[in-house]
Amino acid sequence: MTRKKAIFFYIICTFFALAPALCQPRRPPNAQNYSGRKMMPLERDFTILGAELANDMRGGLTVKIFFSEAVDARSVTPVNIAVNGRPLPPVVRFLFAKSRRAVMFKLPMSELKDDGTIDLEMTGIKSFDGREAEKVVITELKAEEKIWLKSL
């Protein structure tokens, strides 16, 4: 092998060895890793934006709760959400949007009051970086209705 080929081979090997380190995206210093994503903490307060109540095809109710930023899934438990003054049953399953800014759960139709509404009370729900939302009470949420408490 000639000297030029050896130098060329050395340069190519060095380039391919260093290329991944040089091409890495730069992470902002205050970004946090949450659920496999790099999340930037926001300066605004973590709040509950609103809720939606919809009729399910199977004769139940679907409740969606919207947040101002990603919610910590461990803080959304049946103890933290009350419907008509009673905590949710422990068998309730929570489904989260991919962005973690919305949570959905199902209720039986028997949870409706006589006037066709429900009352929701949410306490102790935290954002991905540990900030807790204020206690929110939504009264008389009707089926097929969306209530917005705040906007972004």
Side-chain angles (χ1 to χ4, degrees):
M1 184 157 33
T2 66
R3 185 169 176 84
K4 286 184 181 179
K5 287 182 182 178
I7 292 173
F8 179 73
F9 180 74
Y10 177 73
I11 290 172
I12 294 296
C13 289
T14 305
F15 173 76
F16 283 114
L18 295 177
L22 296 173
C23 297
Q24 290 261 338
R26 300 292 177 230
R27 178 179 154 177
N30 58 346
Q32 297 177 358
N33 191 10
Y34 178 69
S35 289
R37 295 179 167 187
K38 304 287 189 268
M39 303 287 287
M40 294 291 295
L42 301 175
E43 298 299 321
R44 64 179 181 249
D45 291 335
F46 173 64
T47 58
I48 297 169
L49 297 178
E52 176 183 9
L53 181 64
N55 286 324
D56 192 357
M57 295 283 191
R58 298 181 183 138
L61 298 168
T62 302
V63 179
K64 282 186 186 178
I65 303 170
F66 303 97
F67 302 93
S68 62
E69 56 183 280
V71 66
D72 183 6
R74 294 170 297 192
S75 71
V76 180
T77 63
V79 175
N80 295 2
I81 300 174
V83 175
N84 298 331
R86 295 183 309 271
L88 292 175
V91 296
V92 170
R93 289 185 46 205
F94 296 100
L95 302 172
F96 293 88
K98 186 176 181 179
S99 66
R100 303 274 180 159
R101 292 178 71 175
V103 64
M104 181 175 68
F105 59 93
K106 296 188 183 291
L107 294 172
M109 283 295 249
S110 61
E111 290 292 332
L112 283 177
K113 295 192 284 187
D114 293 336
D115 59 353
T117 63
I118 65 170
D119 297 334
L120 279 176
E121 181 179 329
M122 295 156 279
T123 58
I125 297 177
K126 297 182 180 180
S127 70
F128 72 95
D129 58 351
R131 292 178 291 145
E132 190 169 326
E134 293 180 11
K135 177 181 176 180
V136 171
V137 178
I138 299 174
T139 57
E140 299 185 8
L141 181 62
K142 297 176 186 169
E144 303 302 327
E145 181 181 36
K146 193 182 281 190
I147 292 181
W148 292 105
L149 305 172
K150 297 180 182 179
S151 63
L152 285 178

